[in-house]
Amino acid sequence: MQLAIPPLTEDLKRVLIDADTIRSRVDELAAEINRDYKDITEPLVIVGVLKGSVFFLTDLARKLRIPHIIDFIAISSYGKNGDKRGEVRFLMDTRESITDRHVLIVEDILDSGHTLAYLTQNFEARHPLSVKKAVFLDKPARHEVETEIHYKGFDIPDVWVVGYGLDYKEEYRTLPYIAEMIPKN
Ligand code: IMP
Ligand code: MG
């Protein structure tokens, strides 16, 4: 059965990345991860940053053929309005210990880079075997701090995007594509 694709609403300007393109890129990233971790003996701990990464993470993880477990963290970041720039706070930590384990952090989008830079430092301090990062989208024009990304879906221009987990004020997360949006306010 073919499901109808939700149409663009008036807030959404255009589809930037359609569902088929997303699917094939996620397959490619999963193949890379399968190759890179093919020799691990302990399960890879995949840590999704709630909520935006959930769709990417579940699609990616279902294509993995290496031992892995999934876990989540929730954080809040300040600085979107200029104050307390780049401050990140944990709302929920991993359930699993990451000490002596291989860890893959999964994020929806790299913007200023503060979130992933902070998480990398925080995780490294717990002495994992390794920490790598996967992001679905990257806005290179917005970086304020550099952090190494090991698996990346797509580079995008400096526009607000929604869908495939990404939101605008909690809306639009479940769109199956990435759309550029024009916030009304
Ligand atoms: P940063 O890299 O620390 O600046 O923050 C990245 C976070 O900002 C992401 O995890 C998203 O929650 C949010 N974000 C940045 N750009 C967008 C966007 O275009 N749409 C939706 N969320 C975004
Ligand atoms: Mg986020």
Side-chain angles (χ1 to χ4, degrees), residues 49-53 75 77 107-109 115 165-167 173:
V49 183
L50 291 174
K51 307 174 194 170
S53 72
I75 52 170
S77 44
E107 245 292 49
D108 51 1
I109 189 166
T115 305
L166 291 141
D167 72 307
R173 287 193 197 276

Side-chain angles (χ1 to χ4, degrees), residues 153-184:
F154 302 92
D155 281 331
I156 60 163
D158 182 10
V159 294
W160 195 262
V161 291
V162 293
Y164 201 59
L166 291 141
D167 72 307
Y168 174 68
K169 298 183 178 173
E170 292 303 321
E171 279 191 74
Y172 304 111
R173 287 193 197 276
T174 58
L175 290 176
Y177 47 76
I178 293 289
E180 176 178 348
M181 102 159 268
I182 312 162
K184 281 201 202 102

